[in-house]
Amino acid sequence: MTALLEVDDLRVAYGKVEAVKGISFRVEEGQVVTLIGTNGAGKTTTLHTLSGLLAPSAGRIRFAGRDLERIPAHQIVALGLAHSPEGRHIFPRLTVEENLLLGAFLRRDAEGIADDTERAYTLFPRLRERRTQAAGTLSGGEQQMLAMARALMCRPKLLMLDEPSMGLSPIMMKKIMATVAELKAGGTTILLVEQNARAALALADHAYVMETGRISLSGSGSDLLDDDSVRKAYLGED
Ligand SMILES: Nc1ncnc2c1ncn2[C@@H]1O[C@H](COP(=O)(O)OP(=O)(O)OP(=O)(O)O)[C@@H](O)[C@H]1O
Ligand SMILES: [Mg+2]
């Protein structure tokens, strides 16, 4: 079976410093795949490269039958690859609804956009209550909901989430992870980058561990949850 996303020997450098040193991984349709790893391992760099915000120095990115390496970012979104970035990057002065609609900026089907706005509010009722509120006044957890909902507004084939639980209370983190599980159950394909390795591995069909620009380990989510080195390094166990 061909994968929805296939990354082959990808390298990315900032000037002379190579941040991603030849990684290969794949995401099949309908899967949740997670990338976990320490700070500075190259996870965000990888997602930025998939989105077309950074150019790879070598390697291949194949998505939905196309080579992405030389395709500009806005066309990559149009191909169905959506990115909810680390730090959320919502537009603070715009309302919740205006932020959501920006996620549909490439679309012209008013009815479909209205349906998807409704779906976003069903997924996140908190956003419906605050639809006319300036997004900058939302709590951190609500801003995360908005960043995810905005990414879903282009009806992506693949949703990339970069640290959705960052800085959230345990309860809000659970809520966000439950939403990821709900999206998976609804058939959304997800590439999830998370510091909370336990929650990410529990959800993931397949997982990759990144260390200083390389993939050091991979396996099913449950295999890695049982792996001694993962338990010590990422799950805080002795
Ligand atoms: N714009 C940049 N210019 C130079 N170096 C950068 C830049 N962005 C990231 N780096 C470096 O690239 C490496 C990988 O960073 P990246 O943000 O991809 O890591 P990460 O795995 O997402 O880490 P974290 O878990 O802390 O978010 C780090 O050493 C970082 O300092
Ligand atoms: Mg990061």
Side-chain angles (χ1 to χ4, degrees):
M1 190 170 126
T2 50
L4 177 62
L5 174 72
E6 215 161 340
V7 173
D8 189 27
D9 204 18
L10 183 73
R11 292 174 179 271
V12 191
Y14 297 104
K16 286 189 179 146
V17 181
E18 195 166 54
V20 173
K21 302 171 182 169
I23 63 168
S24 302
F25 64 93
R26 51 196 282 143
V27 181
E28 311 273 357
E29 215 171 297
Q31 280 189 329
V32 172
V33 171
T34 187
L35 283 182
I36 60 170
T38 44
N39 293 120
K43 306 179 298 295
T44 295
T45 302
T46 301
L47 296 198
H48 278 152
T49 309
L50 297 178
S51 276
L53 302 171
L54 289 170
S57 45
R60 205 160 166 231
I61 303 165
R62 200 127 173 108
F63 175 70
R66 301 276 298 267
D67 284 320
L68 292 194
E69 303 95 64
R70 269 168 287 281
I71 298 186
H74 67 280
Q75 284 180 21
I76 290 178
V77 178
L79 290 175
L81 206 166
H83 188 172
S84 171
E86 184 176 283
R88 292 138 201 172
H89 295 274
I90 51 126
F91 296 92
R93 288 167 189 268
L94 300 185
T95 65
V96 165
E97 185 138 323
E98 286 164 344
N99 269 275
L100 267 189
L101 292 175
L102 280 174
F105 75 104
L106 288 169
R107 294 173 60 181
R108 294 288 171 267
D109 56 324
E111 266 181 38
I113 293 172
D115 284 352
D116 286 347
T117 308
E118 189 50 37
R119 199 171 316 170
Y121 288 143
T122 305
L123 192 62
F124 298 112
R126 201 77 85 86
L127 296 182
R128 188 196 300 278
E129 290 162 21
R130 289 161 175 74
R131 64 203 292 171
T132 60
Q133 189 173 321
T137 62
L138 295 176
S139 75
E142 291 160 358
Q143 291 190 17
Q144 183 56 51
M145 293 174 188
L146 181 55
M148 286 171 68
R150 182 182 56 188
L152 286 167
M153 287 298 291
C154 67
R155 289 198 186 173
K157 292 192 179 85
L158 174 65
L159 174 66
M160 299 197 296
L161 301 173
D162 196 348
E163 308 236 8
S165 79
M166 192 203 276
L168 302 185
S169 68
I171 287 175
M172 190 52 91
M173 194 211 82
K174 274 205 180 129
K175 157 85 187 128
I176 292 292
M177 286 308 194
T179 306
V180 176
E182 201 177 327
L183 289 170
K184 173 184 155 93
T188 307
T189 309
I190 298 170
L191 178 57
L192 171 67
V193 165
E194 250 305 320
Q195 288 289 336
N196 186 328
R198 192 182 303 276
L201 292 175
L203 270 178
D205 297 293
H206 206 81
Y208 296 86
V209 179
M210 261 187 103
E211 281 172 29
T212 56
R214 293 192 171 86
I215 287 171
S216 57
L217 197 63
S218 72
S220 71
S222 53
D223 281 351
L224 294 202
L225 271 176
D226 288 338
D227 183 277
D228 276 344
S229 64
V230 171
R231 294 173 82 98
K232 278 193 187 120
Y234 300 103
L235 304 180
E237 297 180 11
D238 295 328

